[in-house]
Amino acid sequence: PPPPPPPPPRHPPPRRHGDARRGTMLRMPSEVAATIDLTSLPAVVAALIERLQEQAKTDAQELARRDREIALARVKIDKLNFELARFKRWKFGAKTEAMTAEQRLLFADVMAEDEASLRAKLAELQRGLPETPKTPKAPPRRPRRQALPEHLERVEHRHEPEDTTCPNAGCGRPMQRIGEDVSEKLDIIPAKFFVHRHIYGKWACRCCSQRGEGRLVQEPAEPDVVDGGIPASGLVAHTLISRFVDHLPYYRIEDVHARAGVHTPRSTLSSWGGSGGAALEPLGDALKRFVLGAPVLHADETTVPLLDPGKGKTRTAYIWAYARGEFDPHPGVVYEFCTGRGGQYPLAFLGGQGPPQAQPAWAGTLVSDQYAGYDAVLDARVFPGRTAAACVAHARRKFEELTKPGAGASAVALQALQRLARIYDVERHLKAMTAQQRLDARQRLSLPLWHELQLWLRLERARVADGSRIAQAIDYSLNHWPALTRHLHDGAVPIDNNLIERQIKPWKLGAKNWLFIGSELAGQRAAVVMSLVQSAKLNGLEPWAYLRDVLARIHSHPSQRIDELLPHRWRPA
């Protein structure tokens, strides 16, 4: 038979436009190449496939290496941004006035060197990374002027035209008043000094005097805050308010008085302040008993510089603050000046330690941060009637620090803030409720959000690296979960400790102006005055009016009724 005809020539498939851009060397997916039996192919084709496989492996290794380098660079950038942001907070935040000029200059030089070094490293790392688009900033909101308070005295100034006849030619008739425009300007008359003249009349009987039986009748002198001194209760109250509310040191108060033509040396002002603080100490003890009568307490502490005359410098002392619960109808706060930060100080303040005749142990829920000094106070084996409640705001700050500008935004931290914002949004609507209503609403609205947050935190913790800052933030919340969710089981317990932190701020403002507390006794007197002043402000009282009235009455007020002068019960005389 004749031989079969040769097969028709096989034409290659038409080239697509994408092939020209990719070049003549086509890349074969590794999955497809792994299924091909190279032994059944011609040697040239098998060699080509082997080269493609080796090229694919090389490309994969190169991509993995670049991904690791980029990830490492981003981690370094985040760390440098965090350090740079912290330097900015140190540089532009609170500054200590206790440094000498040479120390401040040296500190500024070191800060400038460190900041320049960080910026250079950051620029070097960011040079090889793609630029990220910047989100446009929202336009700034224009401030709105608030109306002037209604209780202020109004002095009217009338402005009317001299001629009220019609100015049109050919008319000349009298015009009628159809309205007015009112413009209010705020003004002030500086505080002025005046003198109380107490005139005590002397009375005697002339008839009895002639017989040698005369008696002198005269009203007894009114008790003074400063025995034998010239200041009235209003001036002593003004001195205390200037010191502990306006945070003015005595030398500045001296200058203010000098502008009014009154000479009050700072030594005299300090003696007035000491006498006023000593007179208020019994009321401070009564305030402490009142605060400890609350079933829910806030607690926090802060540092204050204490002068150490023997060494010619200051050392660190502490102010411990305790306040009644945020939802308590009768608010109050009390401060205690201590020379240390150990757990023995809250133990002594809350009672339950020492002989039986000592102060009885306080029982209730203590809202605080997770400072170890409170562990002994909340030991269930020693104090079974006490319960710990943690501050959700502290847990939130762990995530917020990872989202600050310059610290590198963490997607996990941002999502955590969003979930906590939903919880806080629910809490904002519960403030006006009773404790039982608040508890029912939390169980219905907040509890599902907390369960969702806990599950999400556990899942994210398994994904992040151990030792990273986001892992530490997640661990803080998960490790203290029972205390963070204590408010879900008691409607009288607040969600955070922000109330007491707001009461701590006056001490930090004062320390910037006073520079230091002069002695331990001065610190104790300052704690008494600050306790009464801040409690008065919490109860909506004007601090000067309260202190002036209390200082005028406290010497003659019965000691068994001292509670009547506490801010929540005070009524002006």
Side-chain angles (χ1 to χ4, degrees):
R10 300 179 63 181
H11 300 283
R15 290 184 63 183
R16 295 187 295 269
H17 294 288
D19 294 340
R21 290 193 300 268
R22 287 191 294 266
T24 57
M25 180 66 74
L26 299 179
R27 301 188 181 276
M28 182 178 296
S30 58
E31 295 83 359
V32 177
T35 59
I36 298 176
D37 186 8
L38 300 180
T39 60
S40 61
L41 297 177
V44 177
V45 177
L48 178 61
I49 292 177
E50 288 180 353
R51 287 200 304 272
L52 291 175
Q53 290 177 340
E54 292 177 358
Q55 184 66 30
K57 291 180 181 179
T58 304
D59 292 345
Q61 293 174 356
E62 181 66 19
L63 289 175
R65 185 185 65 80
R66 291 182 180 180
D67 290 341
R68 288 194 300 269
E69 290 180 353
I70 292 176
L72 181 60
R74 293 191 182 279
V75 169
K76 291 182 179 179
I77 288 175
D78 291 343
K79 183 178 180 181
L80 289 174
N81 280 325
F82 181 78
E83 294 293 335
L84 189 59
R86 184 164 60 179
F87 270 111
K88 287 182 178 180
R89 289 195 295 271
W90 287 347
K91 182 178 180 180
F92 300 107
K95 298 182 178 64
T96 174
E97 295 186 35
M99 292 184 179
T100 64
E102 293 78 7
Q103 289 173 332
R104 286 197 299 270
L105 182 60
L106 179 61
F107 181 73
D109 293 342
V110 174
M111 289 286 291
E113 292 176 0
D114 291 344
E115 183 178 356
S117 175
L118 286 173
R119 289 188 181 278
K121 293 179 181 179
L122 186 61
E124 181 67 24
L125 287 171
Q126 289 179 335
R127 190 173 294 116
L129 296 179
E131 295 185 0
T132 56
K134 296 182 179 179
T135 57
K137 294 183 178 180
R141 298 193 314 175
R142 298 183 60 183
R144 298 181 59 184
R145 179 182 298 176
Q146 296 183 354
L148 296 177
E150 293 294 333
H151 70 274
L152 296 179
E153 177 188 0
R154 258 68 176 177
V155 179
E156 292 188 354
H157 303 273
R158 296 285 178 175
H159 305 275
E160 302 291 349
E162 295 181 359
D163 186 6
T164 57
T165 58
C166 182
N168 290 335
C171 181
R173 296 183 180 181
M175 293 186 292
Q176 296 181 350
R177 199 171 190 272
I178 60 174
E180 62 184 14
D181 292 329
V182 178
S183 174
E184 293 191 338
K185 305 292 184 180
L186 189 63
D187 202 351
I188 185 175
I189 299 176
K192 63 179 181 180
F193 289 87
F194 63 97
V195 179
H196 291 284
R197 296 191 67 194
H198 296 274
I199 303 173
Y200 299 92
K202 297 180 180 181
W203 296 80
C205 178
R206 293 186 178 224
C207 178
C208 296
S209 298
Q210 293 176 357
R211 297 196 303 265
E213 299 176 357
R215 295 179 58 187
L216 182 66
V217 178
Q218 187 179 28
E219 282 293 308
E222 294 184 355
D224 293 327
V225 180
V226 181
D227 191 18
I230 63 173
S233 60
L235 182 54
V236 177
H238 172 74
T239 303
L240 294 176
I241 294 300
S242 300
R243 175 78 169 174
F244 298 107
V245 177
D246 301 329
H247 312 296
L248 297 178
Y250 285 130
Y251 74 90
R252 294 184 188 172
I253 303 176
E254 178 184 357
D255 294 339
V256 173
H257 292 180
R259 291 199 297 269
V262 178
H263 178 57
T264 53
R266 66 189 70 177
S267 59
T268 302
L269 293 171
S270 61
S271 65
W272 294 352
S275 299
L280 294 172
E281 285 183 3
L283 192 57
D285 295 336
L287 180 62
K288 176 182 176 181
R289 293 191 297 269
F290 168 68
V291 169
L292 289 178
V296 178
L297 278 184
H298 297 263
D300 200 3
E301 75 287 335
T302 189
T303 60
V304 290
L306 174 64
L307 183 63
D308 192 348
K311 297 182 178 179
K313 57 182 181 180
T314 61
R315 57 190 176 95
T316 301
Y318 290 86
I319 292 294
W320 294 76
Y322 306 87
R324 293 172 70 93
E326 182 178 359
F327 304 115
D328 198 296
H330 302 296
V333 60
V334 64
Y335 304 102
E336 185 181 29
F337 178 84
C338 302
T339 56
R341 199 190 179 198
Q344 68 270 22
Y345 298 106
L347 274 174
F349 185 88
L350 298 177
Q353 299 289 317
Q357 66 271 17
Q359 176 185 340
W362 169 83
T365 302
L366 184 67
V367 186
S368 64
D369 54 23
Q370 297 306 305
Y371 170 52
Y374 298 107
D375 293 344
V377 175
L378 298 169
D379 190 347
R381 296 169 297 180
V382 182
F383 305 105
R386 296 177 183 175
T387 307
C391 176
V392 178
H394 275 76
R396 182 185 178 277
R397 289 181 199 134
K398 303 291 183 181
F399 296 104
E400 186 182 14
E401 290 178 353
L402 304 179
T403 62
K404 289 185 177 297
S410 169
V412 177
L414 287 172
Q415 191 170 355
L417 292 182
Q418 293 171 358
R419 292 177 179 272
L420 289 171
R422 294 166 57 192
I423 294 174
Y424 267 95
D425 185 59
V426 173
E427 197 68 23
R428 274 192 293 269
H429 295 82
L430 311 181
K431 292 184 178 180
M433 297 182 178
T434 64
Q436 186 59 45
Q437 292 173 342
R438 192 178 300 110
L439 178 60
D440 295 340
R442 284 171 173 173
Q443 290 288 324
R444 187 176 68 257
L445 302 175
S446 298
L447 186 59
L449 298 178
W450 280 100
H451 286 164
E452 181 183 349
L453 176 62
Q454 185 181 29
L455 178 60
W456 177 79
L457 287 175
R458 288 175 176 173
L459 291 175
E460 292 298 331
R461 182 61 183 89
R463 297 175 181 173
V464 300
D466 294 338
S468 60
R469 288 182 289 123
I470 186 62
Q472 296 172 1
I474 296 175
D475 289 340
Y476 181 90
S477 296
L478 293 178
N479 293 339
H480 303 103
W481 196 261
L484 287 173
T485 57
R486 173 62 186 164
H487 66 283
L488 298 176
H489 309 286
D490 188 346
V493 176
I495 190 174
D496 53 37
N497 207 24
N498 288 348
L499 170 68
I500 197 64
E501 292 187 1
R502 291 192 295 269
Q503 306 310 312
I504 285 288
K505 286 184 178 179
W507 286 97
K508 308 307 291 184
L509 293 175
K512 292 181 180 180
N513 293 274
W514 313 326
L515 302 185
F516 51 80
I517 298 292
S519 65
E520 294 187 24
L521 288 177
Q524 295 168 4
R525 288 195 303 268
V528 171
V529 177
M530 288 284 280
S531 300
L532 293 170
V533 167
Q534 291 300 120
S535 296
K537 293 169 67 175
L538 286 174
N539 285 272
L541 304 179
E542 202 284 308
W544 176 80
Y546 170 73
L547 277 190
R548 180 191 60 173
D549 184 75
V550 167
L551 287 172
R553 297 163 56 185
I554 196 168
H555 289 287
S556 58
H557 197 83
S559 58
Q560 64 272 16
R561 291 164 45 197
I562 194 69
D563 291 355
E564 295 177 357
L565 299 181
L566 290 176
H568 70 287
R569 297 184 60 185
W570 172 77
R571 296 294 180 270

